Amino acid sequence: MEISGARIWVTGASTGIGAALAEELADRGARVAVSARNADQLAAVAGDRMVVVPLDVTDRTATVAAGDAVRRALGGLDVAVLNAGTWSQFHVEPWDSALFAAHLQVNVMGAVHTLEAVVPQMVAAGRGRVVGVASVAGYRGLPGSEAYGAGKAALLNLLEALRGSLAPQGVVVQTVSPGFVRTRMTDRNRFPMPFMVEPADAARTIADGIARDKAEIVFPLPMAVLMKLARVVPVRAWTAVTAAMSRRGLHGNPGD
Ligand SMILES: NC(=O)c1ccc[n+]([C@@H]2O[C@H](COP(=O)([O-])OP(=O)(O)OC[C@H]3O[C@@H](n4cnc5c(N)ncnc54)[C@H](OP(=O)(O)O)[C@@H]3O)[C@@H](O)[C@H]2O)c1
């Protein structure tokens, strides 16, 4: 697709990957609207060249209204980037159902609410594009990533199903699965994070993938290869690997 001139909404754009992507897309000539909860940080990202629509994606009504506000401000919408997300390490003792629910609220229901805000209009128009930011952490179960990984696995499945459902309606669905990116999200991790990339590099890769109509944008390459291979490792062998990680205190996961 042609990014220059496209009207693009990026959620989770106050920091990290979303902020870098919004800037990259604006640099390439897109007309960009940015959303997240922190209005001040959004304004700093937007400067005078993006539309700011503060939003908590866990609020369904507010998210649908934000979609309307974005379409009004941009004169329509060509692409929605579902990027808002959260990560905390999960501990099995004490079991924390609230933390699990909070992850699903943002990482799954936040995406679902954003889809509700954009898909009906795209289907009615017979065109449009949804770009969902999942994670390679959704590829396999990893110790410490019970809440985050489960949500990202759900998102991967949701986006894959939607890609088929919406193709006949003229709506394109693209899935982004980053490995480790240096952001606020990964700054507090104390476990090894191999193949880490900077947000600006992640943003360039994602923008290139959008422009090239890639169904899947998985990066960086070594992490993509590692985690794609991990998908075919037999369960018994995977358990041996992850149990060893747990014993050594290497909780956490690639791409969280
Ligand atoms: N960094 C990585 O290694 C990595 C790897 C794989 C996937 N990802 C995914 O990439 C996406 C961006 O993450 P990041 O690394 O850039 O982390 P980040 O810097 O913490 O950014 C997360 C963004 O989501 C927003 N957000 C969080 N909760 C929200 C809510 N309830 N409503 C609206 N916005 C909300 C945050 O803004 P506010 O706090 O202002 O709301 C922020 O803009 C996430 O989906 C993450 O899971 C990251």
Side-chain angles (χ1 to χ4, degrees):
M1 70 162 279
E2 182 61 58
I3 287 181
S4 180
R7 297 159 297 186
I8 306 182
W9 182 22
V10 185
T11 69
S14 60
T15 58
I17 297 170
L21 180 62
E23 283 163 8
E24 178 70 24
L25 294 169
D27 287 347
R28 295 186 189 202
R31 293 164 57 204
V32 179
V34 286
S35 289
R37 291 164 303 179
N38 189 318
D40 292 340
Q41 277 181 2
L42 279 179
V45 171
D48 57 5
R49 62 176 185 159
M50 300 177 203
V51 173
V52 172
V53 181
L55 170 65
D56 183 338
V57 293
T58 64
D59 182 335
R60 171 175 171 258
T61 308
T63 308
V64 171
D68 290 334
V70 168
R71 274 185 295 272
R72 273 196 307 277
L74 297 180
L77 185 67
D78 302 302
V79 183
V81 183
L82 286 46
N83 171 72
T86 192
W87 142 259
S88 293
Q89 189 161 321
F90 191 81
H91 300 277
V92 292
E93 266 184 5
W95 188 266
D96 191 347
S97 294
L99 184 130
F100 198 98
H103 274 76
L104 295 193
Q105 271 307 309
V106 180
N107 296 345
V108 181
M109 292 314 297
V112 170
H113 297 155
T114 314
L115 288 164
E116 183 178 351
V118 300
V119 167
Q121 291 79 1
M122 289 179 177
V123 167
R127 56 181 297 277
R129 179 175 300 242
V130 170
V131 181
V133 180
S135 170
V136 294
Y139 284 9
R140 284 306 292 253
L142 285 153
S145 193
E146 284 80 358
Y148 182 82
K152 291 298 186 180
L155 186 57
L156 286 167
N157 193 295
L158 163 63
L159 292 167
E160 183 160 74
L162 264 186
R163 185 170 304 122
S165 302
L166 296 180
Q169 323 276 344
V171 179
V172 173
V173 178
Q174 297 177 278
T175 303
V176 180
S177 292
F180 291 113
V181 183
R182 197 184 314 279
T183 67
R184 183 178 75 172
M185 190 173 278
T186 46
D187 277 351
R188 55 206 161 92
N189 293 343
R190 292 292 165 263
F191 47 81
M193 292 183 281
F195 315 121
M196 176 84 88
V197 299
E198 299 301 322
D201 296 326
R204 267 194 299 280
T205 303
I206 296 169
D208 287 346
I210 293 173
R212 289 180 198 148
D213 303 318
K214 290 177 76 170
E216 259 197 338
I217 304 164
V218 191
F219 64 91
L221 184 63
M223 185 60 90
V225 171
L226 192 71
M227 291 307 288
K228 291 266 181 190
L229 287 175
R231 277 185 140 170
V232 296
V233 171
V235 171
R236 190 184 287 266
W238 187 251
T239 307
V241 170
T242 56
M245 283 168 66
S246 284
R247 280 188 206 100
R248 294 173 56 201
L250 294 175
H251 281 195
N253 60 83
D256 58 17

mmCIF file with all atom_site columns, all heavy atoms in Angstrom, residues 156-175:
data_model
loop_
_atom_site.group_PDB
_atom_site.id
_atom_site.type_symbol
_atom_site.label_atom_id
_atom_site.label_alt_id
_atom_site.label_comp_id
_atom_site.label_asym_id
_atom_site.label_entity_id
_atom_site.label_seq_id
_atom_site.pdbx_PDB_ins_code
_atom_site.Cartn_x
_atom_site.Cartn_y
_atom_site.Cartn_z
_atom_site.occupancy
_atom_site.B_iso_or_equiv
_atom_site.pdbx_formal_charge
_atom_site.auth_seq_id
_atom_site.auth_comp_id
_atom_site.auth_asym_id
_atom_site.auth_atom_id
_atom_site.pdbx_PDB_model_num
ATOM 1   N N   . LEU A 1 156 ? -2.877  -13.393 18.301 1.00 0.00 ? 156 LEU A N   1
ATOM 2   C CA  . LEU A 1 156 ? -2.376  -14.000 17.066 1.00 0.00 ? 156 LEU A CA  1
ATOM 3   C C   . LEU A 1 156 ? -3.480  -14.802 16.377 1.00 0.00 ? 156 LEU A C   1
ATOM 4   O O   . LEU A 1 156 ? -3.679  -14.699 15.158 1.00 0.00 ? 156 LEU A O   1
ATOM 5   C CB  . LEU A 1 156 ? -1.189  -14.941 17.363 1.00 0.00 ? 156 LEU A CB  1
ATOM 6   C CG  . LEU A 1 156 ? 0.145   -14.273 17.704 1.00 0.00 ? 156 LEU A CG  1
ATOM 7   C CD1 . LEU A 1 156 ? 1.125   -15.299 18.271 1.00 0.00 ? 156 LEU A CD1 1
ATOM 8   C CD2 . LEU A 1 156 ? 0.748   -13.605 16.466 1.00 0.00 ? 156 LEU A CD2 1
ATOM 9   N N   . ASN A 1 157 ? -4.200  -15.583 17.177 1.00 0.00 ? 157 ASN A N   1
ATOM 10  C CA  . ASN A 1 157 ? -5.267  -16.416 16.628 1.00 0.00 ? 157 ASN A CA  1
ATOM 11  C C   . ASN A 1 157 ? -6.405  -15.557 16.087 1.00 0.00 ? 157 ASN A C   1
ATOM 12  O O   . ASN A 1 157 ? -6.930  -15.792 14.983 1.00 0.00 ? 157 ASN A O   1
ATOM 13  C CB  . ASN A 1 157 ? -5.754  -17.370 17.727 1.00 0.00 ? 157 ASN A CB  1
ATOM 14  C CG  . ASN A 1 157 ? -6.627  -18.476 17.181 1.00 0.00 ? 157 ASN A CG  1
ATOM 15  O OD1 . ASN A 1 157 ? -7.708  -18.210 16.679 1.00 0.00 ? 157 ASN A OD1 1
ATOM 16  N ND2 . ASN A 1 157 ? -6.157  -19.707 17.273 1.00 0.00 ? 157 ASN A ND2 1
ATOM 17  N N   . LEU A 1 158 ? -6.777  -14.535 16.859 1.00 0.00 ? 158 LEU A N   1
ATOM 18  C CA  . LEU A 1 158 ? -7.856  -13.621 16.443 1.00 0.00 ? 158 LEU A CA  1
ATOM 19  C C   . LEU A 1 158 ? -7.518  -12.960 15.103 1.00 0.00 ? 158 LEU A C   1
ATOM 20  O O   . LEU A 1 158 ? -8.351  -12.909 14.187 1.00 0.00 ? 158 LEU A O   1
ATOM 21  C CB  . LEU A 1 158 ? -8.053  -12.567 17.535 1.00 0.00 ? 158 LEU A CB  1
ATOM 22  C CG  . LEU A 1 158 ? -8.826  -11.301 17.189 1.00 0.00 ? 158 LEU A CG  1
ATOM 23  C CD1 . LEU A 1 158 ? -10.257 -11.628 16.823 1.00 0.00 ? 158 LEU A CD1 1
ATOM 24  C CD2 . LEU A 1 158 ? -8.801  -10.321 18.360 1.00 0.00 ? 158 LEU A CD2 1
ATOM 25  N N   . LEU A 1 159 ? -6.290  -12.462 14.989 1.00 0.00 ? 159 LEU A N   1
ATOM 26  C CA  . LEU A 1 159 ? -5.900  -11.751 13.761 1.00 0.00 ? 159 LEU A CA  1
ATOM 27  C C   . LEU A 1 159 ? -5.867  -12.705 12.575 1.00 0.00 ? 159 LEU A C   1
ATOM 28  O O   . LEU A 1 159 ? -6.283  -12.351 11.462 1.00 0.00 ? 159 LEU A O   1
ATOM 29  C CB  . LEU A 1 159 ? -4.522  -11.088 13.952 1.00 0.00 ? 159 LEU A CB  1
ATOM 30  C CG  . LEU A 1 159 ? -4.493  -9.926  14.962 1.00 0.00 ? 159 LEU A CG  1
ATOM 31  C CD1 . LEU A 1 159 ? -3.061  -9.560  15.318 1.00 0.00 ? 159 LEU A CD1 1
ATOM 32  C CD2 . LEU A 1 159 ? -5.226  -8.702  14.413 1.00 0.00 ? 159 LEU A CD2 1
ATOM 33  N N   . GLU A 1 160 ? -5.392  -13.939 12.811 1.00 0.00 ? 160 GLU A N   1
ATOM 34  C CA  . GLU A 1 160 ? -5.334  -14.913 11.719 1.00 0.00 ? 160 GLU A CA  1
ATOM 35  C C   . GLU A 1 160 ? -6.742  -15.269 11.236 1.00 0.00 ? 160 GLU A C   1
ATOM 36  O O   . GLU A 1 160 ? -6.998  -15.341 10.028 1.00 0.00 ? 160 GLU A O   1
ATOM 37  C CB  . GLU A 1 160 ? -4.593  -16.167 12.180 1.00 0.00 ? 160 GLU A CB  1
ATOM 38  C CG  . GLU A 1 160 ? -4.425  -17.182 11.076 1.00 0.00 ? 160 GLU A CG  1
ATOM 39  C CD  . GLU A 1 160 ? -3.311  -18.164 11.389 1.00 0.00 ? 160 GLU A CD  1
ATOM 40  O OE1 . GLU A 1 160 ? -3.525  -19.038 12.252 1.00 0.00 ? 160 GLU A OE1 1
ATOM 41  O OE2 . GLU A 1 160 ? -2.241  -18.061 10.774 1.00 0.00 ? 160 GLU A OE2 1
ATOM 42  N N   . ALA A 1 161 ? -7.644  -15.452 12.186 1.00 0.00 ? 161 ALA A N   1
ATOM 43  C CA  . ALA A 1 161 ? -9.032  -15.766 11.807 1.00 0.00 ? 161 ALA A CA  1
ATOM 44  C C   . ALA A 1 161 ? -9.651  -14.603 11.031 1.00 0.00 ? 161 ALA A C   1
ATOM 45  O O   . ALA A 1 161 ? -10.298 -14.784 9.994  1.00 0.00 ? 161 ALA A O   1
ATOM 46  C CB  . ALA A 1 161 ? -9.849  -16.069 13.069 1.00 0.00 ? 161 ALA A CB  1
ATOM 47  N N   . LEU A 1 162 ? -9.415  -13.389 11.545 1.00 0.00 ? 162 LEU A N   1
ATOM 48  C CA  . LEU A 1 162 ? -9.991  -12.197 10.900 1.00 0.00 ? 162 LEU A CA  1
ATOM 49  C C   . LEU A 1 162 ? -9.446  -11.979 9.497  1.00 0.00 ? 162 LEU A C   1
ATOM 50  O O   . LEU A 1 162 ? -10.150 -11.465 8.623  1.00 0.00 ? 162 LEU A O   1
ATOM 51  C CB  . LEU A 1 162 ? -9.656  -10.950 11.722 1.00 0.00 ? 162 LEU A CB  1
ATOM 52  C CG  . LEU A 1 162 ? -10.655 -10.421 12.728 1.00 0.00 ? 162 LEU A CG  1
ATOM 53  C CD1 . LEU A 1 162 ? -10.146 -9.104  13.285 1.00 0.00 ? 162 LEU A CD1 1
ATOM 54  C CD2 . LEU A 1 162 ? -12.036 -10.251 12.108 1.00 0.00 ? 162 LEU A CD2 1
ATOM 55  N N   . ARG A 1 163 ? -8.166  -12.364 9.296  1.00 0.00 ? 163 ARG A N   1
ATOM 56  C CA  . ARG A 1 163 ? -7.553  -12.169 7.973  1.00 0.00 ? 163 ARG A CA  1
ATOM 57  C C   . ARG A 1 163 ? -8.386  -12.881 6.918  1.00 0.00 ? 163 ARG A C   1
ATOM 58  O O   . ARG A 1 163 ? -8.629  -12.350 5.835  1.00 0.00 ? 163 ARG A O   1
ATOM 59  C CB  . ARG A 1 163 ? -6.113  -12.692 7.985  1.00 0.00 ? 163 ARG A CB  1
ATOM 60  C CG  . ARG A 1 163 ? -5.355  -12.413 6.686  1.00 0.00 ? 163 ARG A CG  1
ATOM 61  C CD  . ARG A 1 163 ? -3.870  -12.724 6.818  1.00 0.00 ? 163 ARG A CD  1
ATOM 62  N NE  . ARG A 1 163 ? -3.300  -11.972 7.916  1.00 0.00 ? 163 ARG A NE  1
ATOM 63  C CZ  . ARG A 1 163 ? -2.679  -12.497 8.968  1.00 0.00 ? 163 ARG A CZ  1
ATOM 64  N NH1 . ARG A 1 163 ? -2.499  -13.798 9.037  1.00 0.00 ? 163 ARG A NH1 1
ATOM 65  N NH2 . ARG A 1 163 ? -2.216  -11.731 9.919  1.00 0.00 ? 163 ARG A NH2 1
ATOM 66  N N   . GLY A 1 164 ? -8.845  -14.095 7.279  1.00 0.00 ? 164 GLY A N   1
ATOM 67  C CA  . GLY A 1 164 ? -9.696  -14.843 6.347  1.00 0.00 ? 164 GLY A CA  1
ATOM 68  C C   . GLY A 1 164 ? -11.085 -14.251 6.253  1.00 0.00 ? 164 GLY A C   1
ATOM 69  O O   . GLY A 1 164 ? -11.626 -14.072 5.158  1.00 0.00 ? 164 GLY A O   1
ATOM 70  N N   . SER A 1 165 ? -11.658 -13.893 7.412  1.00 0.00 ? 165 SER A N   1
ATOM 71  C CA  . SER A 1 165 ? -13.043 -13.376 7.416  1.00 0.00 ? 165 SER A CA  1
ATOM 72  C C   . SER A 1 165 ? -13.168 -12.091 6.622  1.00 0.00 ? 165 SER A C   1
ATOM 73  O O   . SER A 1 165 ? -14.170 -11.866 5.948  1.00 0.00 ? 165 SER A O   1
ATOM 74  C CB  . SER A 1 165 ? -13.505 -13.067 8.842  1.00 0.00 ? 165 SER A CB  1
ATOM 75  O OG  . SER A 1 165 ? -13.429 -14.179 9.650  1.00 0.00 ? 165 SER A OG  1
ATOM 76  N N   . LEU A 1 166 ? -12.152 -11.236 6.749  1.00 0.00 ? 166 LEU A N   1
ATOM 77  C CA  . LEU A 1 166 ? -12.277 -9.893  6.170  1.00 0.00 ? 166 LEU A CA  1
ATOM 78  C C   . LEU A 1 166 ? -11.732 -9.783  4.755  1.00 0.00 ? 166 LEU A C   1
ATOM 79  O O   . LEU A 1 166 ? -12.004 -8.793  4.062  1.00 0.00 ? 166 LEU A O   1
ATOM 80  C CB  . LEU A 1 166 ? -11.597 -8.860  7.083  1.00 0.00 ? 166 LEU A CB  1
ATOM 81  C CG  . LEU A 1 166 ? -12.230 -8.696  8.464  1.00 0.00 ? 166 LEU A CG  1
ATOM 82  C CD1 . LEU A 1 166 ? -11.484 -7.646  9.281  1.00 0.00 ? 166 LEU A CD1 1
ATOM 83  C CD2 . LEU A 1 166 ? -13.709 -8.310  8.352  1.00 0.00 ? 166 LEU A CD2 1
ATOM 84  N N   . ALA A 1 167 ? -10.967 -10.789 4.312  1.00 0.00 ? 167 ALA A N   1
ATOM 85  C CA  . ALA A 1 167 ? -10.388 -10.715 2.949  1.00 0.00 ? 167 ALA A CA  1
ATOM 86  C C   . ALA A 1 167 ? -11.473 -10.522 1.886  1.00 0.00 ? 167 ALA A C   1
ATOM 87  O O   . ALA A 1 167 ? -11.348 -9.635  1.023  1.00 0.00 ? 167 ALA A O   1
ATOM 88  C CB  . ALA A 1 167 ? -9.537  -11.944 2.666  1.00 0.00 ? 167 ALA A CB  1
ATOM 89  N N   . PRO A 1 168 ? -12.558 -11.299 1.945  1.00 0.00 ? 168 PRO A N   1
ATOM 90  C CA  . PRO A 1 168 ? -13.583 -11.100 0.913  1.00 0.00 ? 168 PRO A CA  1
ATOM 91  C C   . PRO A 1 168 ? -14.262 -9.726  0.990  1.00 0.00 ? 168 PRO A C   1
ATOM 92  O O   . PRO A 1 168 ? -14.897 -9.289  0.034  1.00 0.00 ? 168 PRO A O   1
ATOM 93  C CB  . PRO A 1 168 ? -14.615 -12.207 1.212  1.00 0.00 ? 168 PRO A CB  1
ATOM 94  C CG  . PRO A 1 168 ? -13.934 -13.157 2.117  1.00 0.00 ? 168 PRO A CG  1
ATOM 95  C CD  . PRO A 1 168 ? -12.905 -12.384 2.861  1.00 0.00 ? 168 PRO A CD  1
ATOM 96  N N   . GLN A 1 169 ? -14.134 -9.063  2.138  1.00 0.00 ? 169 GLN A N   1
ATOM 97  C CA  . GLN A 1 169 ? -14.755 -7.742  2.320  1.00 0.00 ? 169 GLN A CA  1
ATOM 98  C C   . GLN A 1 169 ? -13.810 -6.612  1.903  1.00 0.00 ? 169 GLN A C   1
ATOM 99  O O   . GLN A 1 169 ? -14.125 -5.440  2.079  1.00 0.00 ? 169 GLN A O   1
ATOM 100 C CB  . GLN A 1 169 ? -15.106 -7.508  3.800  1.00 0.00 ? 169 GLN A CB  1
ATOM 101 C CG  . GLN A 1 169 ? -15.607 -8.720  4.545  1.00 0.00 ? 169 GLN A CG  1
ATOM 102 C CD  . GLN A 1 169 ? -17.087 -8.937  4.345  1.00 0.00 ? 169 GLN A CD  1
ATOM 103 O OE1 . GLN A 1 169 ? -17.781 -8.026  3.897  1.00 0.00 ? 169 GLN A OE1 1
ATOM 104 N NE2 . GLN A 1 169 ? -17.565 -10.118 4.642  1.00 0.00 ? 169 GLN A NE2 1
ATOM 105 N N   . GLY A 1 170 ? -12.621 -6.978  1.442  1.00 0.00 ? 170 GLY A N   1
ATOM 106 C CA  . GLY A 1 170 ? -11.660 -5.960  0.992  1.00 0.00 ? 170 GLY A CA  1
ATOM 107 C C   . GLY A 1 170 ? -10.845 -5.352  2.103  1.00 0.00 ? 170 GLY A C   1
ATOM 108 O O   . GLY A 1 170 ? -10.156 -4.346  1.903  1.00 0.00 ? 170 GLY A O   1
ATOM 109 N N   . VAL A 1 171 ? -10.909 -5.952  3.312  1.00 0.00 ? 171 VAL A N   1
ATOM 110 C CA  . VAL A 1 171 ? -10.156 -5.410  4.450  1.00 0.00 ? 171 VAL A CA  1
ATOM 111 C C   . VAL A 1 171 ? -8.944  -6.315  4.724  1.00 0.00 ? 171 VAL A C   1
ATOM 112 O O   . VAL A 1 171 ? -9.087  -7.525  4.894  1.00 0.00 ? 171 VAL A O   1
ATOM 113 C CB  . VAL A 1 171 ? -11.048 -5.302  5.713  1.00 0.00 ? 171 VAL A CB  1
ATOM 114 C CG1 . VAL A 1 171 ? -10.243 -4.766  6.896  1.00 0.00 ? 171 VAL A CG1 1
ATOM 115 C CG2 . VAL A 1 171 ? -12.253 -4.422  5.427  1.00 0.00 ? 171 VAL A CG2 1
ATOM 116 N N   . VAL A 1 172 ? -7.766  -5.709  4.750  1.00 0.00 ? 172 VAL A N   1
ATOM 117 C CA  . VAL A 1 172 ? -6.504  -6.436  4.933  1.00 0.00 ? 172 VAL A CA  1
ATOM 118 C C   . VAL A 1 172 ? -6.170  -6.504  6.429  1.00 0.00 ? 172 VAL A C   1
ATOM 119 O O   . VAL A 1 172 ? -6.348  -5.519  7.148  1.00 0.00 ? 172 VAL A O   1
ATOM 120 C CB  . VAL A 1 172 ? -5.363  -5.693  4.188  1.00 0.00 ? 172 VAL A CB  1
ATOM 121 C CG1 . VAL A 1 172 ? -4.003  -6.316  4.479  1.00 0.00 ? 172 VAL A CG1 1
ATOM 122 C CG2 . VAL A 1 172 ? -5.650  -5.661  2.689  1.00 0.00 ? 172 VAL A CG2 1
ATOM 123 N N   . VAL A 1 173 ? -5.699  -7.661  6.884  1.00 0.00 ? 173 VAL A N   1
ATOM 124 C CA  . VAL A 1 173 ? -5.266  -7.797  8.283  1.00 0.00 ? 173 VAL A CA  1
ATOM 125 C C   . VAL A 1 173 ? -3.795  -8.211  8.295  1.00 0.00 ? 173 VAL A C   1
ATOM 126 O O   . VAL A 1 173 ? -3.416  -9.195  7.665  1.00 0.00 ? 173 VAL A O   1
ATOM 127 C CB  . VAL A 1 173 ? -6.113  -8.847  9.031  1.00 0.00 ? 173 VAL A CB  1
ATOM 128 C CG1 . VAL A 1 173 ? -5.606  -9.016  10.466 1.00 0.00 ? 173 VAL A CG1 1
ATOM 129 C CG2 . VAL A 1 173 ? -7.591  -8.437  9.032  1.00 0.00 ? 173 VAL A CG2 1
ATOM 130 N N   . GLN A 1 174 ? -2.979  -7.440  9.001  1.00 0.00 ? 174 GLN A N   1
ATOM 131 C CA  . GLN A 1 174 ? -1.550  -7.735  9.121  1.00 0.00 ? 174 GLN A CA  1
ATOM 132 C C   . GLN A 1 174 ? -1.200  -7.954  10.587 1.00 0.00 ? 174 GLN A C   1
ATOM 133 O O   . GLN A 1 174 ? -1.706  -7.243  11.462 1.00 0.00 ? 174 GLN A O   1
ATOM 134 C CB  . GLN A 1 174 ? -0.712  -6.576  8.567  1.00 0.00 ? 174 GLN A CB  1
ATOM 135 C CG  . GLN A 1 174 ? -0.931  -6.333  7.077  1.00 0.00 ? 174 GLN A CG  1
ATOM 136 C CD  . GLN A 1 174 ? -0.132  -5.133  6.577  1.00 0.00 ? 174 GLN A CD  1
ATOM 137 O OE1 . GLN A 1 174 ? -0.562  -4.009  6.738  1.00 0.00 ? 174 GLN A OE1 1
ATOM 138 N NE2 . GLN A 1 174 ? 1.004   -5.385  5.974  1.00 0.00 ? 174 GLN A NE2 1
ATOM 139 N N   . THR A 1 175 ? -0.328  -8.937  10.836 1.00 0.00 ? 175 THR A N   1
ATOM 140 C CA  . THR A 1 175 ? 0.092   -9.255  12.204 1.00 0.00 ? 175 THR A CA  1
ATOM 141 C C   . THR A 1 175 ? 1.554   -8.888  12.392 1.00 0.00 ? 175 THR A C   1
ATOM 142 O O   . THR A 1 175 ? 2.399   -9.305  11.601 1.00 0.00 ? 175 THR A O   1
ATOM 143 C CB  . THR A 1 175 ? -0.078  -10.766 12.484 1.00 0.00 ? 175 THR A CB  1
ATOM 144 O OG1 . THR A 1 175 ? -1.446  -11.129 12.257 1.00 0.00 ? 175 THR A OG1 1
ATOM 145 C CG2 . THR A 1 175 ? 0.304   -11.099 13.912 1.00 0.00 ? 175 THR A CG2 1
#
